[in-house]
């Protein structure tokens, strides 16, 4: 491009506080729209290739209430009259064990907001002190479901926190979410196992390590990244529990016999 | 910014001025630049957010905070690539001068985008839990031995600290306070910062977003920045290597007619700083090619209102003594020139910055270089 200005033969010279020379003006008039188009294309390309976080349902606004029998172990839950199991979780990244302990095996009314991902349902318990209270309907409490003997499994996937993954954050898994998953599980939210096999996603078993639905120490650090877990998978109704030990959970490596993809 | 050159320019015309620091000395170009920049950033964010909800709708919709975190992070990375490309591109064409002129505002904008990204990450992923948000994000776990467990947030935080330091010292007050050399070294930290951001992306989002486009675009960006820097750097090095040997008292730098009225010429001397030679009226004067502001190439500038004017931000120097016109204090070294017949001879030993040197007078009949 010829940068000489016709009047004096000197090349066009741009200085910010002087009038913009014609060649620079022409360049800017072309470059600014081109830049805008490039930005739009880049934004569309980057935003358009984000992975699907999965179908979840997150209720906000009006508080809903459920009645049924509350159990504290392996993780606080309520089994409602239609025999659906809802994990009960706190506001923020906190569990609710301290609030439900006294209601173990008792028929209660629970108020909060609904979370749902495939078969796994959750309730975010409202903050009001009476958001969980004894049910006055006079109906009997049901007995705790028997999980049975289960079957040995070897699964590849990710230990996720039950609240984010079933809808509180989308996506609620993966490397970017790892710190959050650790904080949630450490705060008392349920560790769930999200298998890489789409079929297993329906199950989302609760991870129970040495009998407790908690992760500690080195195991907690494995939350939010690909792992291989061996253990016993037990399930009844909508509840599934993956019983394992710290020794049976290890970081997934590419040489493992199943690929992640 | 300490935008006093315009005033200095007026000083050359004997007009009143001030050299005090202000937060930003706006001019119409800076206003337009910042307006376009803000509009582009807004456009990017709107398109990114909109597209995110076009692709995944209803029960599959991403959380708005996640979308914003990603929108601001990718905006910051796109801006950083533009910033890093402007420098080497200015070696190939002066057309990018308008982008270079206000590059600091681009840098500060990039820092703000990165800061918003980090703030949202710390609040969203680290907040509302049993630990303080920042430690929860950067110290929540660490397994340095594996890619999948590597705490990539540490790279991002380190990059943010560098960006903060650069944004906070971008004002010309700091340039004067730290000295141009130290300031330049500090601001070269943008390159380690870029490396940290690449690592942040590689160990972070590329581990969970597995569409190949992300990796490819990052490779494309790194490739573009690296190639432009290599090509520009090699061209400059070649120019220096082909420079004139400065082993005698006077170096022949060419015909008088090679020097165009009002324009600068860059003279490369082997193993020495480059020299900027200007023809102004009947005389030729030589100054260091290195602007006292941020090291811009004075020889690629022109004489504006009797002052040598730097092509980067318009700092000005009197050709006879290399001093900024009063009341400013910047000085660059001067050089002696003499004319032997039709040849221009340069004494390659630089004088003290600001030392007055008589212009080499061009004999009558050598006006071909006039415009
Ligand atoms: S005016 Fe900024 S480098 Fe010369």
């Amino acid at each position: 491009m010829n940068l000489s200005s016709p009047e004096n033969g000197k090349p066009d010279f741009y200085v910010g506080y002087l009038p913009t020379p014609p060649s620079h003006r022409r360049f800017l008039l072309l470059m600014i729209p081109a830049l805008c188009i490039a930005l739009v294309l880049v934004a569309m390309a980057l935003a358009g290739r984000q992975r699907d976080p999965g179908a979840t349902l997150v209720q906000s606004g009006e508080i809903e209430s459920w009645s049924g029998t509350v159990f504290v172990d392996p993780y606080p839950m309520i089994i409602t009259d239609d025999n659906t199991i809802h994990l009960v979780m706190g506001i923020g990244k906190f569990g609710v064990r301290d609030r439900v302990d006294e209601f173990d095996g008792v028929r209660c009314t629970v108020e909060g907001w609904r979370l749902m991902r495939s078969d796994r349902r959750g309730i975010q318990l409202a903050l009001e002190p009476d958001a969980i209270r004894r049910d006055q309907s006079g109906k009997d409490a049901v007995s705790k479901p028997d999980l049975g003997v289960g079957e040995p499994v070897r699964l590849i996937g990710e230990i996720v926190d039950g609240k984010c993954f079933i809808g509180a954050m989308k996506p609620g898994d993966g490397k970017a979410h790892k710190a959050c998953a650790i904080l949630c599980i450490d705060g008392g939210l349920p560790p769930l196992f999200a298998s890489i096999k789409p079929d297993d996603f329906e199950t989302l078993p609760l991870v129970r390590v040495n009998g407790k639905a908690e992760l500690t120490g080195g195991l907690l650090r494995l939350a939010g990244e690909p792992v291989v877990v061996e253990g016993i998978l037990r399930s009844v109704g909508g509840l599934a529990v993956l019983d394992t030990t710290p020794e049976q959970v290890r970081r997934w490596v590419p040489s493992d016999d199943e690929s992640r993809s | 910014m300490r935008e006093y050159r315009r005033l200095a320019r007026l000083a050359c015309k004997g007009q009143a001025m001030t050299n005090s620091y202000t937060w930003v000395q706006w001019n119409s170009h800076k206003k337009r630049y910042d307006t376009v920049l803000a509009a582009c950033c807004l456009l990017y964010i709107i398109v990114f957010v909109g597209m995110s909800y076009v692709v995944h709708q209803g029960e599959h919709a991403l959380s708005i905070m996640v979308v914003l975190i990603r929108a601001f992070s990718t905006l910051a990375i796109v801006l950083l690539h533009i910033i890093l490309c402007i420098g080497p591109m200015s070696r190939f064409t002066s057309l990018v001068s308008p982008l270079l002129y206000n590059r600091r505002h681009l840098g500060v904008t990039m820092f703000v985008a990165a800061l918003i990204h980090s703030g949202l990450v710390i609040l969203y992923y680290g907040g509302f839990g049993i630990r303080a948000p920042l430690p929860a994000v950067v110290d929540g776990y660490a397994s340095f031995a594996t890619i999948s467990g590597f705490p990539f947030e540490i790279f991002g935080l380190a990059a943010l600290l560098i960006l903060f330091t650069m944004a906070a010292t971008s004002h010309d007050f700091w340039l004067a306070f730290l000295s141009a050399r130290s300031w330049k070294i500090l601001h070269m930290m943008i390159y380690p910062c870029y490396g940290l951001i690449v690592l942040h992306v590689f160990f972070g989002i590329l581990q969970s977003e597995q569409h190949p486009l992300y990796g490819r675009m990052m490779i494309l960006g790194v490739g573009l920045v690296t190639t432009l820097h290599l090509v520009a750097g090699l061209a400059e090095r070649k120019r220096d290597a082909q420079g004139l040997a400065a082993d005698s008292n006077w170096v022949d730098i060419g015909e008088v007619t090679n020097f165009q009225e009002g324009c600068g010429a860059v003279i490369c001397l082997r193993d020495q700083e480059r020299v900027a030679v200007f023809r102004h009226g009947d005389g030729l004067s030589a100054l260091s090619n290195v602007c006292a502001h941020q090291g811009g190439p004075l020889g690629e500038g022109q004489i504006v209102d009797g002052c040598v004017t730097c092509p980067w931000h318009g700092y000005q120097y009197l050709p006879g003594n290399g001093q900024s016109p009063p009341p400013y204090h910047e000085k660059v070294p001067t050089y002696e020139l003499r004319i032997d017949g039709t040849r221009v001879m340069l004494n390659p030993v630089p004088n003290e910055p600001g030392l007055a040197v008589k212009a080499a007078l061009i004999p009558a009949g050598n006006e071909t270089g006039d415009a």
Side-chain angles (χ1 to χ4, degrees):
Chain A
M1 191 177 295
N2 179 16
L3 299 187
S4 290
S5 66
E7 315 89 64
N8 55 14
K10 275 168 49 173
D12 275 353
F13 182 55
Y14 174 88
V15 185
Y17 50 70
L18 298 176
T20 307
S23 58
H24 292 86
R25 185 177 294 275
R26 278 195 303 275
F27 172 71
L28 288 174
L29 287 176
L30 282 175
M31 192 219 56
I32 292 170
L35 184 67
C36 290
I37 293 169
L39 282 176
V40 166
L41 292 178
V42 169
M44 287 176 71
L46 293 175
R49 301 300 192 286
Q50 295 171 95
R51 75 186 156 96
D52 183 352
T56 64
L57 188 149
V58 191
Q59 185 199 1
S60 56
E62 283 285 288
I63 285 179
E64 207 175 327
S65 77
W66 293 261
S67 289
T69 309
V70 167
F71 296 102
V72 173
D73 284 315
Y75 180 84
M77 66 182 84
I78 179 168
I79 303 178
T80 49
D81 295 337
D82 59 358
N83 219 20
T84 307
I85 295 174
H86 303 258
L87 301 178
V88 185
M89 299 175 259
I91 303 269
K93 294 168 186 171
F94 295 96
V96 290
R97 190 170 285 270
D98 52 336
R99 293 179 66 188
V100 303
D101 255 352
E102 61 182 290
F103 301 106
D104 194 20
V106 175
R107 202 181 149 79
C108 293
T109 296
V110 168
E111 288 180 344
W113 298 271
R114 183 191 295 264
L115 297 162
M116 191 167 88
R117 179 172 189 136
S118 60
D119 288 345
R120 179 61 57 233
R121 284 149 204 269
I123 296 168
Q124 182 172 230
L125 188 63
L127 271 179
E128 287 71 25
D130 66 345
I132 177 164
R133 56 185 181 272
R134 284 170 191 275
D135 178 35
Q136 306 298 335
S137 68
K139 287 187 184 168
D140 290 335
V142 298
S143 54
K144 195 169 181 173
D146 180 6
L147 287 164
V149 289
E151 55 173 315
V153 288
R154 179 178 180 277
L155 298 172
I156 297 176
E158 183 176 322
I159 298 175
V160 295
D161 72 271
K163 186 175 176 188
C164 291
F165 192 70
I166 70 171
M169 274 188 201
K170 295 181 73 178
D173 63 334
K175 182 77 184 280
H177 182 263
K178 181 176 167 68
C180 179
I182 290 174
L183 193 58
C184 287
I185 295 170
D186 214 13
L189 289 168
L192 302 184
F193 191 80
S195 169
I196 58 159
K197 289 189 199 160
D199 292 348
D200 291 343
F201 267 85
E202 304 299 321
T203 320
L204 287 178
L206 191 65
V207 178
R208 191 160 63 171
V209 181
N210 290 338
K212 288 184 167 178
E214 301 171 357
L215 303 184
T216 52
L219 207 48
L220 184 62
R221 292 172 185 278
L222 288 180
E225 61 180 288
V227 287
V228 180
V229 179
E230 287 171 25
I232 306 291
L233 183 65
R234 306 169 209 270
S235 65
V236 59
L239 181 64
V241 173
L242 176 60
D243 272 311
T244 187
T245 62
E247 296 72 36
Q248 289 178 299
V249 183
R250 63 175 173 79
R251 186 170 278 119
W252 175 87
V253 287
S255 57
D256 279 309
D257 50 352
E258 288 185 66
S259 141
R260 288 193 65 213
S261 53
Chain B
M1 307 298 160
R2 193 188 180 199
E3 182 57 57
Y4 57 65
R5 293 302 114 177
R6 177 174 172 71
L7 302 170
R9 191 173 71 86
L10 298 177
C12 289
K13 293 175 172 175
Q15 297 181 24
M17 57 190 196
T18 170
N19 67 343
S20 60
Y21 290 106
T22 61
W23 186 241
V24 178
Q25 287 212 342
W26 293 104
N27 58 35
S28 61
H29 173 83
K30 284 188 178 177
K31 284 180 187 163
R32 281 199 299 272
Y33 191 108
D34 286 3
T35 307
V36 171
L37 180 58
C40 285
C41 291
L42 194 64
L43 176 72
Y44 182 91
I45 298 291
I46 290 172
V47 172
F48 192 101
V49 172
M51 189 67 184
S52 298
Y53 289 108
V54 166
V55 175
H56 300 307
Q57 301 180 1
E59 293 187 344
H60 292 262
L62 294 150
S63 297
I64 181 65
M65 285 288 267
V66 171
V67 173
L68 288 175
I69 284 168
R70 292 174 175 182
F72 280 100
S73 63
T74 51
L75 173 65
I77 291 175
V78 168
L79 290 178
L80 180 59
H81 279 89
I82 295 173
I83 291 166
L84 289 174
C85 289
I86 290 174
M89 276 169 64
S90 72
R91 308 311 309 140
F92 305 127
T93 171
S94 72
L95 283 175
V96 295
S97 303
L99 303 183
L100 188 72
Y101 176 66
N102 213 16
R103 189 168 47 167
R104 276 189 276 195
H105 288 207
L106 198 52
V108 172
T109 306
M110 184 261 163
F111 163 69
V112 170
L115 186 67
I116 294 174
H117 161 75
S118 315
L120 292 178
V121 164
I122 291 167
L123 180 75
Y124 194 53
Y125 291 136
F128 318 108
I130 57 171
R131 283 193 289 281
L134 185 59
V137 169
V138 295
D139 190 31
Y141 59 92
S143 68
F144 292 91
T146 62
I147 290 177
S148 62
F150 202 95
F152 68 102
E153 292 90 347
I154 288 173
F155 293 127
L157 194 68
L160 188 72
L161 288 176
I162 294 176
L163 290 173
F164 169 74
T165 311
M166 289 175 57
T169 58
S170 66
H171 197 280
D172 273 354
F173 165 79
W174 288 102
L175 187 73
F177 183 77
L178 296 171
S179 84
R181 193 177 149 73
S182 311
W183 189 91
K184 191 90 182 170
I185 291 170
L186 178 69
H187 282 248
M188 292 297 271
M189 291 291 286
I190 192 68
Y191 293 104
C193 174
Y194 181 58
L196 287 167
I197 289 172
V198 172
L199 290 174
H200 178 64
V201 172
F202 174 76
F203 283 99
I205 199 71
L206 290 188
Q207 300 304 316
S208 48
E209 289 296 317
Q210 284 158 352
H211 194 285
L213 177 91
Y214 298 106
R216 283 181 195 150
M217 284 189 78
M218 205 63 223
I219 290 169
L220 189 73
V222 173
L224 181 69
V225 167
T226 312
T227 308
L228 277 173
H229 278 79
L230 277 178
V231 173
L234 289 175
E236 293 296 303
R237 185 179 280 201
K238 190 173 165 198
R239 224 175 138 192
D240 278 332
Q242 291 173 345
L244 301 166
D247 46 10
S248 59
N249 282 354
W250 292 94
V251 180
D252 184 340
I253 59 170
E255 281 289 323
V256 168
T257 49
N258 290 351
F259 297 91
Q260 191 183 348
E261 170 62 30
C263 293
V266 179
I267 305 299
C268 296
L269 299 173
R270 230 171 286 157
D271 304 323
Q272 283 201 36
E273 207 66 82
R274 292 174 177 182
V275 178
V277 177
F278 284 87
R279 178 168 178 169
H280 49 101
D282 292 342
L284 279 168
S285 294
L287 308 176
S288 164
N289 189 51
V290 183
C291 177
H293 180 219
Q294 289 179 20
L298 286 180
E300 292 171 27
Q302 291 188 7
I303 303 262
V304 176
D305 295 331
C307 294
V308 168
T309 304
C310 179
W312 281 11
H313 313 97
Y315 272 44
Q316 293 186 302
Y317 304 89
L318 295 165
N321 59 15
Q323 296 181 16
S324 290
Y328 305 108
H329 311 293
E330 281 77 17
K331 291 174 189 167
V332 292
T334 54
Y335 289 81
E336 285 169 56
L337 290 176
R338 74 163 203 245
I339 293 174
D340 279 359
T342 60
R343 306 296 296 179
V344 182
M345 310 297 287
L346 166 80
N347 179 349
V349 181
N351 294 316
E352 285 294 304
L355 187 79
V357 172
K358 272 195 180 157
L361 288 180
I362 300 168
N366 284 290
E367 286 86 14
T368 328
D370 288 355

